[in-house]
Amino acid sequence: MTTAAAPAPAPCLLDDPLASHAALRPDAVASVCGETRWTWRQLLGRVELVAGALAASGVGHGDRVAWLAQNCHRYLETMLACGRLGAVFTPLNWRLSAGELAFVLSDCDPRVVFWQRPEIEARVVAARAATTLAAEWVELDTDDTASDGTFSRWIRREPSATGTRPPATDPALMLYSGLSDGRPVGVYLSHTGLLTQAWYGVAFGGASGSDVYLNSGPLFHVGTLKTTLATYAAGGTNVFVARAQARLLCQVIARERCTGAFLQPVTIEQLVAENADHRYDLSSLRAKPGPVAWNEMVSPAGSGRYRSGYGQTELGGVVTFIDSQRAALGQAGFPAPLLRLAALSPDGAPLGPGEIGELAVRGPVVAAGYHRRPEVTARRQAQGWHHTTDLGRLETDGSVTFIGPMTQLIKSGAENIYPAEVEACLRTHPAVRDVGVLGVPDPVWGQAVTAVVVAVDPVTAEVLVAHCRQHLASYKKPRRVLFAAALPRRDGGLDRAALDRAFGGGGYPGTGPPNGSTGPGPR
């Protein structure tokens, strides 16, 4: 006689830590946004309300829910509510042009779109008019419960049942990233992958229940979001601000006693200028060394053992860590637990130590595929590996050296910019015969986008920059436009190395730590 095996316990979903914190520390503060403060008990109630309203809107397993707005406490509520339903929360880059927004909205095909009016209304309205979406649009920036289409009215509708528990390997989040062809693509990240990355943030990043994390970076990027989730999983407090404006950041850090924040070097300089008279107490903030005046305002980051190494969007964040107590041959540190990292030969075979190949990863953090791009999923996940399209090698001590993207990438501030996308835009101008885009080292932004144009008709740099601003997000436009009689070519394509040599390109990710950064991070 055989005995049937007991069913295995269900793995955790993204909203499970919420239920745990609500039971164990119900009155601790979970999120802050302006005057709104939710305890863990209150946040759980809010998530239940949002999940019921989403279900009443017809949102179910596998449906996308788009977030087209700046940072807000409702971001966290909606993301967790989507996870409970098996839906896929999809934060979109609100800085995109109307044409770019129309593309990603049509590609995403959401059931519900949460959006805001301030700063982006004109672009959102134009993008919406350019699509044929059947989505329900819910406006976030008003508490007018009498107006149709507002969040406050929407959330008070009669809730529907939220359905069955989805598998933990299902997507919970979709982030748009760029491919080498310049087209954005949705990257699916699973419940298990996101929680694994959150655990990395606790184990290696030191996130704890006493943390107060200032969400001052864009939450459509994994660079900010991975710390948001680590703070959430650890039971800390997430503080949200719509934009990284110096005076507002100073006020919020001082009022909420924030211990951490997502701050770019240029933002730190603005904070120093804003607080030159020390009227704001920023001493709660634990920050890495910077300008002397900055060091006098904040507390040292401490002697944390680990720093981030290598990562990317498709991995939900960072997958190698630099250990201050363990010497490493590779500048990207050692692979995290629960995954395998290898350098592959062109035929997909793992290479030995010291051999250069394409970095590849397998494990729970790997993306659950690409949205509506089966050919990309098949190519990037061939032979059971996630192919990063980055070059690197494993060293004899097991550490990792990151060499650089197999396809060129420009990093300006926190933004990833693909030359192919900017080049494609410039080629649509009738005066442009040929164009090459490169990144030139910049002391403030890391790299500045520079375009080298071969013109068929007289045209000014200002006209071409305006053309890009019209069709692309503003941060993608060239800061400089140079003119040449011809571009260097090799094997029928643009010789980017020769272009860099001729026009001062450099500082690409993996070639050095621009702006004092500690090395390659998520992109």
Side-chain angles (χ1 to χ4, degrees):
M1 180 178 177
T2 59
T3 303
C12 281
L13 299 180
L14 197 56
D15 68 317
D16 277 319
L18 171 60
S20 178
H21 296 321
L24 298 175
R25 47 189 310 166
D27 298 322
V29 178
S31 70
V32 176
C33 184
E35 300 302 316
T36 301
R37 311 175 71 84
W38 298 135
T39 65
W40 287 105
R41 180 193 289 116
Q42 290 171 322
L43 179 59
L44 177 61
R46 293 285 299 182
V47 169
E48 290 172 346
L49 280 174
V50 175
L54 285 171
S57 294
V59 174
H61 185 270
D63 288 330
R64 275 78 57 202
V65 173
W67 177 274
L68 188 46
Q70 296 167 337
N71 299 354
C72 170
H73 64 290
R74 290 167 174 167
Y75 176 107
L76 183 60
E77 299 168 8
T78 308
M79 177 173 62
L80 297 177
C82 286
R84 177 170 294 199
L85 296 173
V88 184
F89 184 65
T90 308
L92 302 179
N93 185 342
W94 54 268
R95 298 174 63 185
L96 297 178
S97 69
E100 292 170 314
L101 285 176
F103 175 85
V104 294
L105 282 167
S106 296
D107 182 73
C108 172
D109 191 19
R111 176 77 68 166
V112 175
V113 180
F114 294 99
W115 71 289
Q116 70 175 55
R117 291 187 185 275
E119 294 195 57
I120 64 173
E121 179 179 11
R123 283 178 286 131
V124 174
V125 170
R128 183 177 181 180
T131 68
T132 58
L133 297 178
E136 180 179 2
W137 289 71
V138 181
E139 183 186 338
L140 286 162
D141 51 281
T142 179
D143 289 323
D144 182 3
T145 58
S147 299
D148 290 336
T150 65
F151 186 92
S152 297
R153 184 176 179 89
W154 173 87
I155 200 175
R156 285 167 171 77
R157 65 175 58 190
E158 187 67 28
S160 292
T162 55
T164 58
R165 182 182 178 91
T169 52
D170 274 12
L173 182 72
M174 184 166 76
L175 297 179
Y176 271 86
S177 184
L179 296 177
S180 59
D181 61 6
R183 291 188 298 164
V185 61
V187 178
Y188 283 132
L189 299 173
S190 72
H191 292 261
T192 296
L194 293 170
L195 288 176
T196 301
Q197 276 290 353
W199 177 72
Y200 289 166
V202 174
F204 299 105
S208 73
S210 61
D211 283 348
V212 181
Y213 178 59
L214 178 58
N215 287 262
S216 50
L219 285 170
F220 49 79
H221 277 324
V222 74
T224 305
L225 182 57
K226 64 184 178 62
T227 309
T228 308
L229 291 176
T231 304
Y232 155 75
T237 302
N238 273 297
V239 179
F240 298 89
V241 291
R243 294 209 61 177
Q245 297 170 329
R247 179 168 299 177
L248 174 63
L249 295 186
C250 286
Q251 292 170 344
V252 173
I253 292 169
R255 183 180 69 242
E256 302 299 336
R257 309 306 296 156
C258 296
T259 58
F262 184 93
L263 301 173
Q264 290 291 311
V266 65
T267 307
I268 290 174
E269 293 178 4
Q270 293 167 352
L271 290 173
V272 169
E274 178 65 32
N275 198 35
D277 58 0
H278 290 264
R279 65 183 179 277
Y280 300 109
D281 180 4
L282 309 184
S283 61
S284 63
L285 191 67
R286 300 190 294 267
K288 294 179 181 179
V292 173
W294 174 249
N295 298 337
E296 294 172 350
M297 293 178 186
V298 300
S299 297
S303 56
R305 177 171 176 177
Y306 298 99
R307 291 185 287 114
S308 295
Y310 170 79
Q312 61 179 197
T313 299
E314 286 89 341
L315 302 172
V318 177
V319 293
T320 72
F321 292 89
I322 301 164
D323 187 346
S324 64
Q325 298 181 21
R326 183 183 178 189
L329 296 173
Q331 37 84 324
F334 295 91
L338 307 180
L339 57 83
R340 183 184 174 194
L341 189 150
L344 303 183
S345 67
D347 61 3
L351 297 169
E355 297 184 272
I356 295 174
E358 181 184 16
L359 294 176
V361 179
R362 60 171 50 146
V365 297
V366 169
Y370 295 90
H371 177 63
R372 292 181 173 175
R373 300 285 284 277
E375 76 287 355
V376 179
T377 300
R379 183 175 73 248
R380 296 291 295 272
Q381 297 190 348
Q383 301 165 312
W385 292 96
H386 165 64
H387 295 256
T388 66
T389 71
D390 286 330
L391 291 175
R393 65 175 177 265
L394 270 64
E395 308 292 359
T396 54
D397 63 351
S399 62
V400 179
T401 292
F402 169 70
I403 293 174
M406 295 170 66
T407 53
Q408 200 171 67
L409 171 75
I410 296 171
K411 190 79 170 182
S412 183
E415 300 291 353
N416 296 333
I417 301 166
Y418 292 87
E421 182 181 16
V422 184
E423 290 164 355
C425 177
L426 283 166
R427 286 194 185 98
T428 64
H429 193 283
V432 175
R433 172 182 291 166
D434 199 4
V435 60
V437 170
L438 64 154
V440 175
D442 183 273
V444 175
W445 299 103
Q447 285 182 294
V449 180
T450 300
V452 183
V453 170
V454 178
V456 66
D457 291 313
V459 66
T460 66
E462 291 76 10
V463 167
L464 295 178
V465 170
H467 177 76
C468 289
R469 186 186 291 113
Q470 180 182 357
H471 297 286
L472 299 173
S474 181
Y475 66 83
K476 298 178 185 177
K477 69 181 184 297
R479 290 183 176 271
R480 295 178 67 205
V481 177
L482 307 175
F483 294 90
L487 298 182
R489 295 202 167 270
R490 182 180 181 184
D491 299 328
L494 181 64
D495 188 340
R496 294 192 182 277
L499 189 73
D500 284 338
R501 289 193 297 270
F503 296 98
Y508 296 100
T511 63
N515 286 342
S517 68
T518 57
R523 66 171 181 85

